[in-house]
Amino acid sequence: RHAWLYRTEGIFNNAFPWTQFSVWHTFSSDIWYGFHFLLIPLTFFSNLLLGVKISAVVFSSATLFIFYLILKRHRIIQPLFWTLFLFVSTPDFLFRISMSRPQTITLLLLIILISLLTKPASTKKKCLLFIFLIATAISWVHIVLFWAAILIAVVIAAVRFLRERVIQWKEFLAIIAGILTGWLLRPNPFGALKILWVQIF
């Protein structure tokens, strides 16, 4: 319904009249902005429930498929087994990945980010651009989980420094720049920042 409102009333609509007693109404911002934006094509179905069910299948299938491809990229033995294992690993994961929620897309993007940080693309500039775009997408789709990209970058950078005495500062800056860009690519980004504070702290 939120995506439908963006389609029918404009993608910059942030009035939130249906949440009179919520921080979303108070600060007039959508922390799932990118997710709701991506759902807009599925609001053309006459039944919005059908659209949201299709989105759940599409997002979860894409996440598992990309996970499989990344396992193959890193030459992990039995990538199909590990993909299926991830899918049924815990009841909570199975429940959440089967829902139409931004966490599914964020998981997909974080998996790609890990791959880029541990096995860079063919050229440094190309890799930094991809890292920037992935970080932008993470922040744009679901800003609440921006910290996961930073945590992943810090852990991988620490391991690389201990093993190779190399500091991945360009990659870290690309992630920070991407997060800031994704935050700004939404109506009322400062309202989103206030909601983010409420959500996390």
Side-chain angles (χ1 to χ4, degrees):
R1 177 64 68 173
H2 201 143
W4 178 84
L5 286 167
Y6 281 148
R7 177 170 69 83
T8 57
E9 298 183 14
I11 60 172
F12 300 109
N13 174 33
N14 58 357
F16 296 91
W18 59 91
T19 58
Q20 291 296 315
F21 305 103
S22 165
V23 291
W24 280 266
H25 178 75
T26 304
F27 300 124
S28 298
S29 191
D30 180 7
I31 55 174
W32 289 9
Y33 181 73
F35 174 70
H36 291 136
F37 189 90
L38 292 173
L39 287 177
I40 289 174
L42 297 167
T43 63
F44 287 94
F45 291 100
S46 57
N47 182 350
L48 292 180
L49 285 176
L50 175 62
V52 82
K53 287 177 181 178
I54 290 172
S55 74
V57 172
V58 169
F59 295 150
S60 60
S61 299
T63 299
L64 293 170
F65 181 65
I66 293 296
F67 181 69
Y68 169 78
L69 292 179
I70 285 175
L71 291 179
K72 289 196 75 173
R73 180 176 189 252
H74 290 265
R75 297 177 180 170
I76 304 297
I77 297 171
Q78 299 294 334
L80 182 59
F81 168 79
W82 291 113
T83 304
L84 294 173
F85 182 81
L86 172 68
F87 184 60
V88 297
S89 55
T90 66
D92 189 54
F93 182 81
L94 182 60
F95 170 70
R96 289 182 182 278
I97 201 170
S98 301
M99 297 171 66
S100 183
R101 292 174 64 85
Q103 289 89 334
T104 306
I105 302 172
T106 306
L107 175 63
L108 163 66
L109 295 168
L110 290 171
I111 289 169
I112 296 171
L113 183 65
I114 291 169
S115 179
L116 289 171
L117 291 172
T118 54
K119 188 177 181 182
S122 55
T123 66
K124 193 74 169 177
K125 287 183 180 179
K126 186 178 178 182
C127 183
L128 289 173
L129 176 61
F130 286 154
I131 289 170
F132 168 79
L133 292 173
I134 292 297
T136 300
I138 290 168
S139 181
W140 182 68
V141 168
H142 190 201
I143 195 170
V144 175
L145 291 177
F146 79 93
W147 57 267
I150 296 173
L151 178 63
I152 286 168
V154 168
V155 170
I156 291 174
V159 171
R160 179 151 286 173
F161 178 75
L162 290 173
R163 292 181 63 185
E164 303 171 21
R165 292 294 186 266
V166 174
I167 299 175
Q168 289 184 301
W169 63 272
K170 287 184 180 178
E171 290 84 349
F172 189 76
L173 288 179
I175 289 171
I176 297 298
I179 288 169
L180 291 174
T181 303
W183 164 60
L184 292 170
L185 287 176
R186 65 183 65 241
N188 191 9
F190 292 100
L193 202 60
K194 292 173 183 176
I195 296 173
L196 180 65
W197 177 265
V198 172
Q199 284 268 304
I200 296 178
F201 299 105

